[in-house]
Amino acid sequence: VSIVLFFYAGPIGGVLNIAPELLSLSNVYISYVGGGLFMVGMIASLGTAIRNTGNTKGPMYTGIIINVIHIILNYIFIFGVFGLPQLGLAGIAISSIVSRLVGVIILYSLFRRSFEIKVRLRDFRIFNGKLFKQILKIAWPLGINSSCWVFSQLIVYSFLAALGAEALAARTYLNTLESFCFTLGYAFALAGQIQIAHLFGAGKLKEAYRSAYRTLFIGLSIVSANMLLLFLFGKQLLGYFTSDPKIIAIGVSLLALNLLLQPSKMLNMALGNALNAIGDTRYTMYTSIVSMSLIGVGCSYWLGISVGWGLIGIYCCMIADELVRGLLVLARWRGRKVLRQADIGLSEENASLHGAGKRSASLTT
């Protein structure tokens, strides 16, 4: 994907309906940042491996370091500090690459020390076919799920670009503010996923089932409180990003809808991650493909572009997509299909061990 983005930035910008006057800028940004996208994959995989050992602070501190470096380099490159040329958007792209590279180096160092045996470079040559198949069975639906989300977002952003620069800017600024609302909720969803996976692996199925709801309620409380603050002070916060009254007016008109969007997203994150934790990844993949395609993309075009509701219509479809997927994963979790199968498997295993123990005792006697 990085190679494609690097060499085909121009055609991709055209597909996204980017305005002609912005194409030269988009070519620079897509080729630079897109070309370094493989580092995002490395950060995600290394960070996940480290967190799953119980070390959640290491990736957190690394994320803080990445962002601090990114902000400092943005300032230096954009405004030409220390006698450097003013690079503008190209400077932002360069700072993104440099900060991500630093993140990869730090996380790789942590990864090597995350296990009882220190990981060395030659260990990456080890290949276990059986283990790889087990990982692939869980991973390929997750990969398709993530890809589906990325492509749906790209298509939706192409709709936003067709609505004009103001609508695109308003959505971009609001997305930044929203991230502060659901970041803590997403953190709880990830923590819940790790905990549920450990409990499920240990055969503590009832505790795993209850843990998902505990994660959901905590996350909903945090996200709802943050959303209320954003609703009350959103206009002032948008003023820090832009002074354009049209962009601010568009952003303010969407604040009330966010009171529905973010809780729906939290429902989907908490219980979707719970299903992924116990290996039920195909179900989340199927629901994502159907909902994102029909509601997230199809209805967004219908209401936002065809009917003419604009950004409000697209937001309504985003809410519907998140809510539908959230209710579907909730129904799946309440059905306990995978948990019941695991419970039967544990019962059969215990019965087999008990029978073997009796035979051993009889022979000894």
Side-chain angles (χ1 to χ4, degrees), residues 177-178 181-182 222-232 254-263:
L177 293 176
E178 289 170 12
C181 296
F182 68 76
I222 294 171
V223 167
S224 299
N226 288 342
M227 271 315 308
L228 185 59
L229 291 174
L230 179 59
F231 177 73
L232 295 174
L254 300 171
L255 290 175
L257 291 175
N258 259 297
L259 294 173
L260 297 174
L261 175 62
Q262 299 309 322

Side-chain angles (χ1 to χ4, degrees), residues 100-119:
R100 286 172 180 172
L101 179 60
V102 172
V104 169
I105 293 171
I106 295 172
L107 287 174
Y108 176 68
S109 178
L110 290 172
F111 174 76
R112 293 185 64 195
R113 295 168 175 79
S114 293
F115 308 94
E116 292 180 3
I117 300 173
K118 186 176 180 181
V119 179

Side-chain angles (χ1 to χ4, degrees), residues 160 163-173 244 246-248 250-251 311:
L160 294 173
L163 294 174
E166 291 86 1
L168 184 60
R171 169 58 189 154
T172 303
Y173 295 145
D244 189 323
K246 189 174 181 180
I247 295 176
I248 293 175
I250 295 173
L311 193 52

Side-chain angles (χ1 to χ4, degrees), residues 304-322:
I305 306 298
S306 297
V307 178
W309 286 14
L311 193 52
I312 291 178
I314 291 175
Y315 249 74
C316 289
C317 295
M318 289 167 58
I319 294 169
D321 172 40
E322 292 286 352

Side-chain angles (χ1 to χ4, degrees), residues 151-203:
F151 283 119
S152 69
Q153 291 300 300
L154 285 173
I155 296 170
V156 169
Y157 266 91
S158 72
F159 298 160
L160 294 173
L163 294 174
E166 291 86 1
L168 184 60
R171 169 58 189 154
T172 303
Y173 295 145
L174 203 58
N175 187 56
T176 302
L177 293 176
E178 289 170 12
S179 67
F180 289 100
C181 296
F182 68 76
T183 295
L184 277 177
Y186 182 60
F188 274 100
L190 285 178
Q193 180 177 358
I194 295 170
Q195 186 181 64
I196 291 166
H198 279 274
L199 291 169
F200 182 75

Side-chain angles (χ1 to χ4, degrees), residues 177 230-240 242 248 252 255:
L177 293 176
L230 179 59
F231 177 73
L232 295 174
F233 304 104
K235 185 175 182 179
Q236 293 86 335
L237 292 171
L238 283 169
Y240 288 107
T242 179
I248 293 175
V252 169
L255 290 175

